[in-house]
Amino acid sequence: MPDIKVTPLGAGQDVGRSCILVSIGGKNIMLDCGMHMGYNDDRRFPDFSYITQNGRLTEFLDCVIISHFHLDHCGALPYMSEMVGYDGPIYMTHPTKAICPILLEDFRKITVDKKGETNFFTSQMIKDCMKKVVPLNLHQTVQVDEELEIKAYYAGHVLGAAMVQIKVGSESVVYTGDYNMTPDRHLGAAWIDKCRPDLLISESTYATTIRDSKRCRERDFLKKVHETVERGGKVLIPVFALGRAQELCILLETFWERMNLKAPIYFSTGLTEKANHYYKLFITWTNQKIRKTFVQRNMFEFKHIKAFDRSYADNPGPMVVFATPGMLHAGQSLLIFKKWAGNEKNMVIMPGYCVQGTVGHKILNGQKKLEMEGRATLDVKLQVEYMSFSAHADAKGIMQLIRMAEPRNMLLVHGEAKKMEFLKDKIEQEFTNGETTSIVTNPSVPVDISLNLLKREMALGGPLPDAKRPRTMHGTLIMKDNSLRLVSPEQALKELGLSEHQLRFTCRVQLHDPHSDNDTLGRIYTHLKRSRADIQHCCATGVPRSSPGSWTFPEPGPTLSPTSLRYSTVLSK
């Protein structure tokens, strides 16, 4: 029986370094290749040793698919392709291909140029890696080779994010990456057709959460920011450069305009201009409202939000600063946090998920003293608020996707083990990194049926064809030119240039009977004749005429001579 094997090399039961290996129909596909925000050592990258025991990855993998540009899904890509060794195709959407190298270079600068780490990929490696990328269009079926095909679906989440269907023959897997089933101010909701895959691999970041209405969250967010600014405090909003940043910028820009507020809003990354450029370039990936109003007004050209200079962090008075990265694990957001953490007037609003081990995760868990680099201790006195603007599906959204796709099996990844318990009835097996889960499939083999055979079956009577009630058909199966056809025996003989043959099957039966041979043969003949008449009567009327007779013979003894009988029948065709 064919099976599908799933081996997480990362994000099996945590969030970070997403890397899922799927083996289907003899093909090996790597889904995402991310890094972990909570580690600064070898654990930040997936454990590729599991699949490099027999040489380079090129010999093992048929393709790599990247769902979107967040570093926990693509951050290890140059390391995997250029340092571990992979020369095969890497598939991602056009926006992901455009934005991914910018974020990878930004990540490299922080890690190598600022932290001075070695054994890390270079700028040239990023460029060489991106040369292997094959761009995907939504709903376009791409033939990787003669047997393997992939198809991308809109995932929401961030610009260019895609869910991917993988098919080999009649077996299929859908991998969601990160997705959002709720439309927001700049992106639409994820969508997939009723593809009924053998396996749906879904993220489960918010498996235990059912969010309140988006309008309530936006109102609470604006209220917190406004109150802090009114009392002269500073608001730090750690975000990733693209995604929630644009969502919250649109929200604050509209509110500042409506309320005529004067407090400055800054965005602390040089990626802002590039981000806006990509949103213009890929406007078709945004929601309907932005596409409709784009000609009159570009929502990503902000009047009230200016570029941030690090010297502004010491300026007196209120301000709002969007700073990267989003989990306070490094970069500008952590530097600003260190400066503002000691003032009770200030506030940090965490708008998304924080991986365990990051500063963001620690302060959300109420930690008031943080051990920083060099064993320095930081007192956290500012207010800490968590407001989920994360563009991940909640429990309700995951269930909605299941109803959409109607998978035969379900696996949850990219979540915490305890939260996965909430949806355990949807999982065939629980697994952690390095363990393999096998899904047994029942592949269907498509067969064309000749019109003549269908007409003949209909002429025989019986119920009309019903898709929900399988019906047995008798014919000859012909395999020709990689296709299967069911035709009538006469048509098969004609097409194949064969003549009809008869096979005679003979069965020898030995009886012991005290009567003479002629008497015994007469009794058998009479019995068979009567049985044949009963069968004909039963077929004609549907009612048995008499109960079938039976023979009884005495136990064979020394006085009985064996009588050998031969029974023959002819089978045609």
Side-chain angles (χ1 to χ4, degrees), residues 217-225 237 251 387 389:
R217 265 179 289 144
E218 290 179 349
R219 187 176 63 240
D220 290 345
F221 171 76
L222 293 171
K223 184 182 176 184
K224 296 284 185 189
V225 173
I237 307 171
L251 187 59
M387 313 193 83
F389 281 92

Side-chain angles (χ1 to χ4, degrees), residues 533-548:
D534 286 346
I535 292 167
Q536 287 174 338
H537 176 79
C538 184
C539 291
T541 64
V543 179
R545 187 169 64 181
S546 62
S547 58

Side-chain angles (χ1 to χ4, degrees), residues 516-527:
S516 65
D517 288 353
N518 287 337
D519 190 21
T520 300
L521 288 170
R523 290 171 65 199
I524 293 172
Y525 174 75
T526 303
H527 181 82

